[in-house]
Amino acid sequence: MQIRIGQEILSREALLDSAGLLAEFIQASGDTLIWQHDDQRVEVLDLVGGFGSTLLGHNHPELVETMQHSLSANRPMWVQGAQRPIAKQLREVLAEKLKRETGKQYQLIILNTGTEAVEAALKHAQYEYFQRLNQAQTLSADNWREFMARLSRNELSIDESFYRKAELLLGQEPIESIEELQRALQFRNQQAFNLPAKIAAFKGAFHGKTRGSLATTYNRDARLPFIANNPDAVFIEDCDSFKQTLSSWQSQYWQFEFEPLRLVAKPINQLAAVIYEPIQGEGGVVPLAQQYIDLLNEIKQSHPDTAIIADEIQCGLGRTGHFLESVARHAPNDYITLAKSLGGGLCKISAVAIDASRYHQEFSMLHSTTFADDDLSSAVALKTLALLERDDIIHKTQSLGEAFLSALQNLANDYPDMIAEVRGKGCMLGIELASQSDHPSATISGLDKENVLSMALAGYLLHRHHVRLLPSLGKRRVLRLQPSSYFAHQNIAKVIDALKAAFELIRAHKVAPLMSHLIHADINQLAYHERLQHPLREDSIPSGIEKVAFISHLIDQDSLNEIDPGWRVFDEYEQEELNHHILPVTVPGVLARRKITSISGREIELVLYGIQMDAESIEADRRFNRSKVIRAQVHEAYRLAREEGCKLVGFGGYTSIVTSNCCDFTYNTPAATSGNALTVAASINTVLSSAAQHGIDLKKATVAICGAAGNIGQVHSAILAKHCHKLTLITRNASATNMNDTLQVICEQLYLGVEQQISGGKLLESCKEWLTPRIGDDKPEVIQRELKSILLARGLVVISDNFSDCQQADVIVSNTSSPTTVFSAEHIHPHKPVLISDVAVPRDVPQDIVLARPNVKLIRGGVVNLTQNPEFTLPGMLLPKGQVYACCGETILLGLAGAFTHFSMGALTCAQVEQVQALAAIHGFELDQEKPQNDSLQAVS
């Protein structure tokens, strides 16, 4: 079963919304947008620029006037199959401009969008290839007919040596007759004529998202679901390697030359086209490397029939300070695709320019579209070209680009920890952010690893500084700046100051002011009075140590605050709202790596994976969404642990519950364990020790087990039954089957206690009186079945769904799966000594219950001491050094024991508890762990 998670299941709108970027802009002019925000109109400085479309700004007044004039003239918009003079004029003007730039005559095709322009270019290149093969086939057939005609006129003579040469050249034998020569020649030539056309693009390329253009788009996430293992398109990374590939694409067919008679090979080049962006936009504003330019020119010289397609959709028409960036880079351009800026930021229009010497007139019948050549967009495009000339846009973009690049480079010099590189030209610039994967803040580090920190920064810049930027689609760590050519130079300082403010927040680990806009809160930076102390994430761990993993989740506000102290300035409700905003784009991440040592000297590495969901959000997901979100997160964490090379994965709390105590992974590797066995062992040991200290004679005591129908409660009940007088089994909404299973386990353990003649509480002693005479005479299952009836009939075991029945108990062990507390003072006897072991995470029992019931001793069940690791801590667990929750401790213990097989998976047994107790003694784990009554600790497991 494939479980998808994070960004891969989000819509574009949901992803933008997660960063607070899904704003409503109601007006635009030049480089300014008007944002309707909280009933206010806010001016926003726009550097997204319509993804490169608004080179002349938003709603350029002369372009708007052109549109209005075109509409008010009531000219027919759609008159396909008729003369369309404005579109014709556009083709002529654009062709003339391209001729001045390149010195070549081009045939222009007017279309609608950039991806359609790429589709048309690729189709025409493939059509060229088809025509070359078709012509070769025709020539081959004509050549054979001439050969036969000359034979018939006795102008040729064929001897045995000619046939032998033909055998070697054609790779066919025997050839001993004209008929066999014909068959061999036709077979060999047809193989060549059937070869498919090949297309090459470059690493990092983006050429569109329709199916044809998608084949040349490098982004695997966008491409593979639709075009997987496409053998006809390759991506160039290494030039030498591609040259070898190109050599393998050179084939040949054979025909006769007659004076003298011989077979001659004629070449067939399968590479129909190479498409490139002079500056890759979606790939991260990356200028095409010079080695690739040299390769293009080499292909142009050695294989002139290959169409070289310059994709200038984003960088063309002056955006980079040159009308064509391919010309500026001295790169070949048999075809040129244009779009975006051609429509002046108002119309959807694109164009393909094809070298007139290569153009096939009939192609206009093979690629047509309903909405191309319309008067409106053609008129706007004509006016756009006129404005580019009149306003000297190329000089404007050059000047603006130089000023912007200088300011950005100074910023990069001041913030080398924030900016990896600044690049681009003119009004097409990019800031590649430095990696923050090792940032002390778990939030900033996690967002960076998921490639959404750039989006978080963009959200902050929009909300707090009213500057609009967006990351590149193919390289999320790059923020693109695409201002209009009219962008005011004085606004550069505003952009730089906004970026500085964002970088200062990241440097200071101030998560709250960076992200508070997502919940419409205004966090003052002064709320941070001191430098934040983040928990250590990674120990110094030698290589070669075997790894185990543990999957944890948040419990409450305190655990989140320890993992990332930057969240402390938010209250509980703000944290919950912000977490809901962030969760959809996150996946589990590594919170810590720890080296742990056994008293035997053996060492292992523990890798802690954290899921950013707390108990309440998980419980809501279980109730309303069938655990879809939390299970997806757990499965992803398990997958990451497998890729990490972990030999065992431990689960705790809800991560165990939602996977049916790890049964989701029964047939998977690495091995899995729920942590339940050591949790019960630690709880039982502590109860046995603490009862006597608190003045409770356990042999005569009534023990209440809350959550008795659950896996942990069931085994607690069975073991403590041998030590107490009476049992009260509390369950909430449990099925009769589950409680029957609990009773069955209790009776089995009592029977074994009698059979093995161990000493225990009054309940076990009573069972000895009843059962001893019958052991050996009757079948165990018969005796146990009758014992169940006796225990219930005599009230030695009571089943209840009312927590008030705990008032009769001397000892209470609680381990429900409730996200909130389930006990109050009214549930507990007001006077006699009462011992409560709270094993649940989050807590079942409020810590302040001892104020209302001073007779209560409250202990935290399920905690162990790592005696050999006194400095051990894990972020989010809020335990003193050297302690760990038993669910995680079980993973560590099994790792130290080298027990890399499924352990406490599915139904827990008393035998597993005994096994893990023995292992704990061997490796120095102290299970008798009593906690003080005012303990403020919280679990993450």
Side-chain angles (χ1 to χ4, degrees), residues 86-127:
I86 299 180
K88 180 182 178 183
Q89 184 184 359
L90 173 61
R91 285 193 291 270
E92 291 171 349
V93 170
L94 190 51
E96 180 58 31
K97 178 62 178 174
L98 293 176
K99 185 177 181 180
R100 293 201 304 270
E101 292 288 322
T102 66
K104 294 191 294 186
Q105 187 67 48
Y106 289 89
Q107 181 72 34
L108 269 296
I109 305 172
I110 303 301
L111 298 164
N112 301 286
T113 64
T115 188
E116 188 187 1
V118 171
E119 291 276 352
L122 294 174
K123 282 175 64 176
H124 191 278
Q126 193 162 18
Y127 187 69

Side-chain angles (χ1 to χ4, degrees), residues 734-917:
S735 68
T737 300
N738 287 348
M739 286 311 300
N740 190 61
D741 290 344
T742 300
L743 287 170
Q744 180 64 36
V745 175
I746 291 171
C747 292
E748 288 172 359
Q749 287 299 306
L750 288 171
Y751 179 88
L752 287 173
V754 172
E755 189 178 48
Q756 296 168 1
Q757 298 183 352
I758 64 174
S759 60
K762 293 184 69 175
L763 179 55
L764 180 60
E765 296 305 316
S766 297
C767 290
K768 286 180 180 179
E769 295 178 14
W770 303 329
L771 304 185
T772 301
R774 299 184 58 186
I775 291 180
D777 295 332
D778 295 329
K779 292 181 178 180
E781 57 267 24
V782 174
I783 297 174
Q784 292 167 22
R785 187 165 54 249
E786 293 181 6
L787 178 60
K788 187 190 305 181
S789 300
I790 294 172
L791 295 176
L792 291 173
R794 299 193 180 187
L796 294 174
V797 175
V798 176
I799 298 175
S800 172
D801 61 0
N802 190 345
F803 283 90
S804 295
D805 287 339
C806 291
Q807 287 186 346
Q808 308 305 316
D810 304 289
V811 176
I812 301 170
V813 177
S814 189
N815 186 62
T816 75
S817 58
S818 171
T820 56
T821 57
V822 296
F823 270 93
S824 64
E826 288 73 23
H827 296 143
I828 301 167
H829 196 286
H831 303 301
K832 70 176 182 179
V834 177
L835 172 67
I836 302 178
S837 175
D838 189 356
V839 186
V841 180
R843 289 177 178 269
D844 281 344
V845 185
Q847 298 175 71
D848 60 1
I849 201 168
V850 296
L851 301 177
R853 291 287 186 267
N855 57 307
V856 168
K857 181 174 185 179
L858 176 63
I859 61 175
R860 193 75 170 115
V863 179
V864 299
N865 278 337
L866 303 178
T867 57
Q868 293 298 112
N869 302 268
E871 298 300 311
F872 177 87
T873 59
L874 286 176
M877 295 209 178
L878 298 170
L879 286 171
K881 290 182 178 181
Q883 293 185 355
V884 68
Y885 283 93
C887 53
C888 180
E890 180 173 302
T891 307
I892 298 170
L893 183 58
L894 293 173
L896 291 172
F900 301 127
T901 57
H902 296 312
F903 187 65
S904 57
M905 175 181 283
L908 183 66
T909 67
C910 297
Q912 288 172 320
V913 175
E914 292 174 1
Q915 283 179 266
V916 87
Q917 283 178 318

Side-chain angles (χ1 to χ4, degrees), residues 349-513:
I349 185 170
S350 64
V352 183
I354 301 174
D355 187 327
S357 66
R358 308 179 69 114
Y359 183 69
H360 291 266
Q361 295 293 332
E362 67 273 21
F363 186 72
S364 63
M365 296 293 291
L366 300 174
H367 189 94
S368 58
T369 173
T370 299
F371 297 111
D373 288 341
D374 66 289
D375 278 13
L376 182 64
S377 57
S378 296
V380 171
L382 274 169
K383 186 63 177 180
T384 297
L385 294 173
L387 290 172
L388 295 179
E389 295 277 357
R390 188 197 73 185
D391 291 354
D392 197 7
I393 295 300
I394 288 174
H395 180 264
K396 287 181 182 295
T397 56
Q398 284 177 344
S399 173
L400 179 61
E402 290 169 0
F404 233 135
L405 275 173
S406 175
L408 289 172
Q409 192 56 60
N410 290 336
L411 183 68
N413 294 337
D414 293 339
Y415 293 89
D417 53 331
M418 296 289 121
I419 298 178
E421 187 180 3
V422 173
R423 54 182 177 257
K425 292 175 68 177
C427 293
M428 188 175 179
L429 307 173
I431 305 170
E432 182 163 352
L433 301 174
S435 171
Q436 303 297 325
S437 60
D438 294 326
H439 195 282
S441 164
T443 302
I444 291 173
S445 170
L447 291 174
D448 181 78
K449 288 176 181 176
E450 290 309 306
N451 275 329
V452 291
L453 180 59
S454 58
M455 296 193 70
L457 279 175
Y460 165 80
L461 294 171
L462 174 63
H463 285 260
R464 299 304 184 214
H465 298 275
H466 305 150
V467 172
R468 185 170 184 251
L469 293 173
L470 285 177
S472 288
L473 293 176
K475 201 167 187 179
R476 295 273 186 86
R477 197 165 274 164
V478 175
L479 289 171
R480 283 190 296 176
L481 291 77
Q482 294 184 305
S484 82
S485 56
Y486 300 110
F487 190 87
H489 282 235
Q490 60 266 30
N491 281 330
I492 294 176
K494 180 179 180 179
V495 177
I496 299 300
D497 289 344
L499 289 166
K500 278 184 180 179
F503 294 158
E504 286 294 335
L505 292 179
I506 294 176
R507 271 186 173 178
H509 313 167
K510 295 182 178 179
V511 173

